[in-house]
Amino acid sequence: MRQRSLIAITAALSAGALTLTACGSRDSDDKGSDSSGTTITIGVSAPLSGENSTTGLGIQYGAQIAADDANSKKLVDGVTFKIKALDDKAQPANGQQNATALVGDKTVVAAVGPLNSGVAQSMQQVFASANMAQVSPSNTNPELTMGKNWQTDPKRPYKTYFRTATTDALQGGFAAEYAYTDLKKKKVFVVDDKQTYGAGLAKLFNEAFTKLGGKVVATDHVNTGDKDFSSLVTKIKNSGADLLYYGGQYDESALITKQMKDAGVEIPLFGGDGMFATTYIETAGEASEGDLATAIGVPVDTLPAAKSFVETYKSKGYKGDYGAYGAYSYDATMAIINAVKAAVDANDGKVPDDMNALRSTVVDGVQKSDFEGISGKVSFDEFGDTTNKQLTVYQVEKGAWKAVKTGTYDAG
């Protein structure tokens, strides 16, 4: 999906080991390492309150479970990993502030997040200036990794940015193909929320659907935070569309589909991973029945490797929804932890004294990632994009999201 300077390390040398102290908000429950060990912090930025918080909390706790697993397994000898989660409220300005705060924390080695592509745009330069790895489990806008001219002249803007989510270049086309070929829809009304993620996804769906032979009867835009969509509903009703495609988040789409159905417009709403959350169904109620959404990867509950993760998430009583990005956040965090391990192994089993050097080494280590994660194979191409291109279409059936098609899409 989707949307939302360098510091010398404080050294306390004890028996050749470097002890770091962590600070910040929403820190891990972990009590830290003993006096002879090292605590290394991994930052998280996501919407932890307000709009999009259902999926944002899934990102926070996905990272937390990864850190806890690494600590319990003593994956990096003498190192305890701590999560520092900051609330960006799905707002770019908050994301930039969070990035600055994480870079300024002398214990933070890398960051996971954010949820929203628009927020990521405000953070990339900050992390790049500090040569600190940023791994998002959910950003899907192609420009983040291949630049504004990604369709004609792709160039990677920041070597520090990675993502475990596949992009809208595939998601938009995958949705269009399903709508045209599987659902047999021929006339679509396309709406977006004018944000980086939503507008980009809607544009790519529009292009792919038209190329397949379908007709986009009209397009329109809404603002995030809007509650009354009566004017939009009237336009949709008069358009003769047999499907509404929406580029944006669940906060608005859930209200749109409810108001649309209340007005007697009985056509499905189809969206991207930004609306793939239990909150969409809870808010829209019966009106959500039959609506659809694409999401990255395959259903996490069907992945054998993710079984323990799902059980832990539920047993801990963590809030939010792990289904959308929890597993991808776990794997993003593990990519960072594995990179730290490689750096320590290469330094005779000791954490490097220079945090700037460690951050830089972790960037290189994340780029070289090659392991089986709980969401599938974790590795990155020359742009920092995941090599895992799986996507799934979900449909609301009897009040729950049900996977109806899983596969890949050839954007060529």
Side-chain angles (χ1 to χ4, degrees), residues 18 59 69 80 116 134 234 283 326 328 352 368 394 397:
L18 179 62
I59 290 174
D69 283 352
T80 297
N116 309 83
Q134 171 189 9
T234 299
T283 302
Y328 299 90
K368 296 174 183 177
Y394 294 86
E397 294 187 11

Side-chain angles (χ1 to χ4, degrees), residues 212-407:
L212 286 166
K215 182 179 181 180
V216 175
V217 296
T219 61
D220 208 342
H221 315 278
V222 299
N223 297 306
T224 56
D226 283 354
K227 304 296 183 184
D228 182 0
F229 299 101
S230 54
S231 176
L232 173 64
V233 168
T234 299
K235 293 178 184 178
I236 297 169
K237 188 173 185 178
N238 294 336
S239 73
D242 53 16
L243 177 74
L244 170 63
Y245 187 81
Y246 181 75
Q249 309 292 338
Y250 57 77
D251 303 276
E252 289 74 36
S253 59
L255 298 178
I256 291 173
T257 199
K258 189 175 190 308
Q259 292 175 32
M260 187 171 69
K261 307 295 174 50
D262 287 346
V265 186
E266 296 297 332
I267 63 174
L269 185 151
F270 197 168
D273 56 326
M275 57 175 270
F276 178 58
T278 54
T279 303
Y280 176 83
I281 299 172
E282 293 166 357
T283 302
E286 292 182 3
S288 65
E289 194 71 15
D291 287 352
L292 306 107
T294 49
I296 61 172
V298 299
V300 65
D301 291 304
T302 68
L303 297 168
K307 183 179 179 180
S308 176
F309 166 79
V310 172
E311 291 175 347
T312 298
Y313 199 105
K314 292 179 178 179
S315 68
K316 292 280 188 179
Y318 287 145
K319 297 179 180 179
D321 186 353
Y322 65 82
Y325 308 114
Y328 299 90
S329 179
Y330 182 101
D331 285 344
T333 307
M334 287 307 304
I336 293 169
I337 290 172
N338 288 339
V340 171
K341 176 175 171 54
V344 171
D345 289 347
N347 193 46
D348 296 326
K350 300 177 183 177
V351 177
D353 291 349
D354 185 348
M355 176 56 86
N356 294 348
L358 179 57
R359 287 174 171 178
S360 178
T361 302
V362 167
V363 172
D364 295 336
V366 171
Q367 181 66 66
K368 296 174 183 177
S369 295
D370 186 7
F371 64 95
E372 288 297 328
I374 64 172
S375 67
K377 180 69 173 291
V378 179
S379 61
F380 304 99
D381 64 17
E382 68 271 28
F383 298 104
D385 281 325
T386 178
T387 58
N388 183 353
K389 308 297 185 183
Q390 291 286 102
L391 289 158
T392 299
V393 175
Y394 294 86
Q395 188 166 29
V396 181
E397 294 187 11
K398 297 180 180 179
W401 289 111
K402 179 182 177 182
V404 293
K405 184 175 183 178
T406 296

Side-chain angles (χ1 to χ4, degrees), residues 16-36:
L18 179 62
T19 302
L20 307 178
T21 57
C23 61
S25 64
R26 292 182 183 259
D27 286 343
S28 158
D29 294 331
D30 185 80
K31 301 302 182 182
S33 59
D34 61 30
S35 60
S36 63

Side-chain angles (χ1 to χ4, degrees), residues 51-336:
E51 293 186 355
N52 306 161
S53 59
T54 296
T55 42
L57 289 167
I59 290 174
Q60 176 188 358
Y61 294 122
Q64 184 63 63
I65 294 172
D68 290 344
D69 283 352
N71 291 337
S72 65
K73 296 174 183 176
K74 301 188 185 302
L75 194 62
V76 184
D77 190 39
V79 172
T80 297
F81 291 97
K82 188 178 181 72
I83 297 299
K84 178 178 182 176
L86 302 179
D87 187 2
D88 61 37
K89 301 183 185 297
Q91 297 298 318
N94 292 335
Q96 187 174 54
Q97 292 171 3
N98 289 352
T100 301
L102 292 173
V103 164
D105 186 330
K106 303 167 187 179
T107 74
V108 177
V109 70
V112 173
L115 168 67
N116 309 83
S117 293
V119 177
Q121 286 182 322
S122 72
M123 303 174 79
Q124 287 180 304
Q125 179 63 57
V126 178
F127 287 124
S129 296
N131 209 7
M132 181 189 290
Q134 171 189 9
V135 190
S136 172
S138 56
N139 299 159
T140 54
N141 188 280
E143 292 184 14
L144 295 171
T145 49
M146 294 185 285
K148 291 187 178 298
N149 300 318
W150 64 270
Q151 289 174 301
T152 56
D153 185 25
K155 292 180 180 177
R156 187 175 186 178
Y158 303 103
K159 72 170 188 176
T160 51
Y161 177 85
F162 306 85
R163 53 179 157 202
T164 52
T166 195
T167 75
D168 293 335
L170 303 180
Q171 184 175 198
F174 189 64
E177 187 175 72
Y178 188 82
Y180 186 83
T181 304
D182 295 80
L183 297 179
K184 309 298 182 185
K185 303 298 183 181
K186 306 303 179 186
K187 298 186 294 181
V188 178
F189 195 113
V190 178
V191 178
D192 69 70
D193 64 0
K194 297 188 281 191
Q195 301 300 304
T196 300
Y197 161 71
L201 181 59
K203 177 177 182 289
L204 289 163
F205 175 90
N206 190 326
E207 292 173 352
F209 190 75
T210 302
K211 185 177 179 180
L212 286 166
K215 182 179 181 180
V216 175
V217 296
T219 61
D220 208 342
H221 315 278
V222 299
N223 297 306
T224 56
D226 283 354
K227 304 296 183 184
D228 182 0
F229 299 101
S230 54
S231 176
L232 173 64
V233 168
T234 299
K235 293 178 184 178
I236 297 169
K237 188 173 185 178
N238 294 336
S239 73
D242 53 16
L243 177 74
L244 170 63
Y245 187 81
Y246 181 75
Q249 309 292 338
Y250 57 77
D251 303 276
E252 289 74 36
S253 59
L255 298 178
I256 291 173
T257 199
K258 189 175 190 308
Q259 292 175 32
M260 187 171 69
K261 307 295 174 50
D262 287 346
V265 186
E266 296 297 332
I267 63 174
L269 185 151
F270 197 168
D273 56 326
M275 57 175 270
F276 178 58
T278 54
T279 303
Y280 176 83
I281 299 172
E282 293 166 357
T283 302
E286 292 182 3
S288 65
E289 194 71 15
D291 287 352
L292 306 107
T294 49
I296 61 172
V298 299
V300 65
D301 291 304
T302 68
L303 297 168
K307 183 179 179 180
S308 176
F309 166 79
V310 172
E311 291 175 347
T312 298
Y313 199 105
K314 292 179 178 179
S315 68
K316 292 280 188 179
Y318 287 145
K319 297 179 180 179
D321 186 353
Y322 65 82
Y325 308 114
Y328 299 90
S329 179
Y330 182 101
D331 285 344
T333 307
M334 287 307 304
I336 293 169

